[in-house]
Amino acid sequence: MTTPSNYVFSSESVSEGHPDKLCDRISDSVLDYLLAIEPHARVGCETFATSGLVVIGGEVGLSDKERLKDVMGRVTEIARNCIREIGYEQEKFHWNTCHVLNFLHEQSAHIAQGVDRDGAGDQGIMFGYAVDETPELMPAPIQYAHAILRRLAEVRKAGLEPTLRPDAKSQLSVRYENGRPVEVTSVVLSTQHSDENQTSDDICAIVEPYIREVLPPEWLTDRTVWHVNPTGKFVIGGPDGDAGLTGRKIIVDTYGGAAPHGGGAFSGKDPTKVDRSAAYAARYLAKNVVAAGLARRCTVQVAYAIGVAEPQSVLVDTGGTGVVPDAVIEAAIGKVMDLTPRGIRLHLGLNRPIYARTSAYGHFGRAPEADGGFSWEKTDLIEALKKAV
């Protein structure tokens, strides 16, 4: 896949208080709770949120069915804790007063049978991507769109900006010259706020210093166009303003549109679901290829059949930036990692309660954590890949 050298590319992010992200957070928190009880728990949890109401459904499985009944009683508490931690205490969406309905049920034995043989939990295609335009080996527009909202959440929760509220969206348009990011042509930021009298100019005065704090200073020029709360007031937000649903922000979760997205959403799914685990593995491999200096950018595609362990296909595309042919890198990948669902789970240590933290600000481009969180962001395959090619 070739890319022009000079162009403008845009990506968006949404905050943890966005209705869809709140739903992702609840679904992943239910998943974490079950994995903490049993590392091989099966979870497919979906959440819907609207004004004053959260509905949770899907299928879960534990080896101890009696214990599963006890777990079901904790789901409402988990949901309320998520809403409280994000910061919703609005009249029509408050963590302590909203209705929470739990319709989770036991996983279908027909779905479980293929997974129990170490096969994939479903068919599908998954993509991973890495590019050397940021230290995190992520596309710059999505990486910095996330950084803006993460910083605003930090100052909101620290009490430094008391009028900011949880719901927010950012969008960056970045100009590339000779294939490298050089300038932000526009910044779009919409953030919920509490004061009815605040204007767009007032909000801009609050958020602009934090935006400048996280962006490379040379990228903001006198040509950069700013749109902060461009429609005016944004007081009613969150599920009270717009309904939310798990899995509706898959491009925000991945590469901001700079690379393909296949399969499905991530949140609420245990790691037997290759939608999640194989997408993590593909990112891990692509990142290590770029980190090893084998290519400036790399896309990895894998495909699976339900109940079948071995991937149906593995494809590497470096867009002409590879120092060796793509087929050579493809062969090397097969030597350094077992891409069966079980192999992925073991290699990356995915059967752990590490998922609620992924539910906002992207699943990729984050620092690996001591407890195994974001293990797919490690670059520990560099030497093995170099040797294999």
Side-chain angles (χ1 to χ4, degrees):
M1 292 178 288
T2 58
T3 304
S5 295
N6 302 308
Y7 57 96
V8 174
F9 193 86
S10 302
S11 293
E12 71 157 352
S13 180
V14 297
S15 70
E16 63 200 67
H18 185 281
D20 296 332
K21 283 284 129 199
L22 179 142
C23 291
D24 286 347
R25 172 73 171 270
I26 293 171
S27 293
D28 273 337
S29 295
V30 171
L31 168 62
D32 279 355
Y33 182 72
L34 284 155
L35 289 176
I37 293 170
E38 185 175 304
H40 298 286
R42 302 285 166 74
V43 184
C45 179
E46 309 289 348
T47 304
F48 166 74
T50 187
S51 185
L53 176 66
V54 173
V55 181
I56 302 167
E59 59 284 336
V60 297
L62 292 176
S63 58
D64 185 344
K65 294 184 180 181
E66 289 303 312
R67 196 169 192 184
L68 184 58
K69 294 178 183 177
D70 295 334
V71 168
M72 293 299 192
R74 292 291 308 278
V75 171
T76 295
E77 180 187 350
I78 291 168
R80 292 194 188 283
N81 284 341
C82 291
I83 299 166
R84 178 175 54 81
E85 289 165 8
I86 288 170
Y88 277 115
E89 295 185 342
Q90 297 171 191
E91 181 183 352
K92 294 185 179 180
F93 197 80
H94 193 293
W95 63 270
N96 197 36
T97 58
C98 69
H99 299 285
V100 180
L101 304 180
N102 175 17
F103 295 104
L104 288 169
H105 60 85
E106 190 175 349
Q107 185 188 46
S108 161
H110 293 167
I111 293 175
Q113 62 188 355
V115 181
D116 291 339
R117 295 195 299 267
D118 287 330
D122 201 354
Q123 71 175 50
I125 57 172
M126 297 84 207
F127 291 92
Y129 182 68
V131 63
D132 67 354
E133 63 192 44
T134 61
E136 299 83 5
L137 303 185
M138 284 287 288
I142 187 67
Q143 191 69 11
Y144 287 107
H146 288 322
I148 289 169
L149 293 182
R150 191 183 301 116
R151 183 65 181 133
L152 291 179
E154 289 170 357
V155 298
R156 172 176 63 85
K157 291 180 174 182
L160 299 176
E161 299 297 347
T163 63
L164 296 185
R165 289 295 178 262
D167 196 356
K169 301 178 80 171
S170 65
Q171 182 174 287
L172 284 184
S173 297
V174 177
R175 184 172 68 83
Y176 286 72
E177 194 172 279
N178 298 319
R180 312 302 289 177
V182 296
E183 180 185 22
V184 173
T185 60
S186 76
V187 177
V188 182
L189 190 286
S190 295
T191 181
Q192 185 187 11
H193 56 99
S194 61
D195 188 343
E196 292 266 0
N197 296 316
Q198 285 177 308
T199 66
S200 297
D201 289 342
D202 294 330
I203 300 300
C204 189
I206 291 171
V207 302
E208 184 175 340
Y210 300 112
I211 293 173
R212 290 186 177 277
E213 189 180 303
V214 300
L215 293 179
E218 67 275 14
W219 288 9
L220 291 170
T221 71
D222 55 5
R223 296 181 299 274
T224 302
V225 177
W226 293 71
H227 296 289
V228 176
N229 282 20
T231 60
K233 267 189 288 192
F234 183 9
V235 174
I236 299 172
D240 186 32
D242 191 10
L245 194 65
T246 298
R248 279 206 299 204
K249 288 292 178 284
I250 57 176
I251 301 303
V252 171
D253 286 343
T254 54
Y255 308 103
H261 181 102
F266 302 153
S267 290
K269 296 177 181 178
D270 74 74
T272 66
K273 278 76 168 175
V274 284
D275 280 349
R276 182 169 221 160
S277 55
Y280 289 175
R283 159 64 178 174
Y284 174 63
L285 291 167
K287 183 175 183 181
N288 275 271
V289 166
V290 175
L294 299 176
R296 282 183 49 197
R297 70 173 182 268
C298 180
T299 303
V300 175
Q301 186 208 48
V302 288
Y304 292 87
I306 188 168
V308 179
E310 294 293 335
Q312 302 302 290
S313 66
V314 178
L315 173 70
V316 169
D317 183 352
T318 64
T321 69
V323 300
V324 296
D326 291 353
V328 174
I329 299 175
E330 217 168 89
I333 279 174
K335 296 174 184 177
V336 300
M337 187 175 185
D338 176 0
L339 284 172
T340 65
R342 184 174 184 272
I344 292 170
R345 295 196 301 274
L346 290 174
H347 191 114
L348 297 178
L350 297 181
N351 288 104
R352 292 185 266 192
I354 54 174
Y355 296 105
R357 69 194 76 170
T358 70
S359 62
Y361 314 121
H363 292 244
F364 308 125
R366 313 277 287 271
E369 298 177 349
D371 65 351
F374 301 102
S375 59
W376 49 93
E377 292 296 312
K378 292 180 179 179
T379 52
D380 53 359
L381 290 182
I382 290 174
E383 294 308 317
L385 280 168
K386 287 180 177 179
K387 184 178 179 181
V389 301

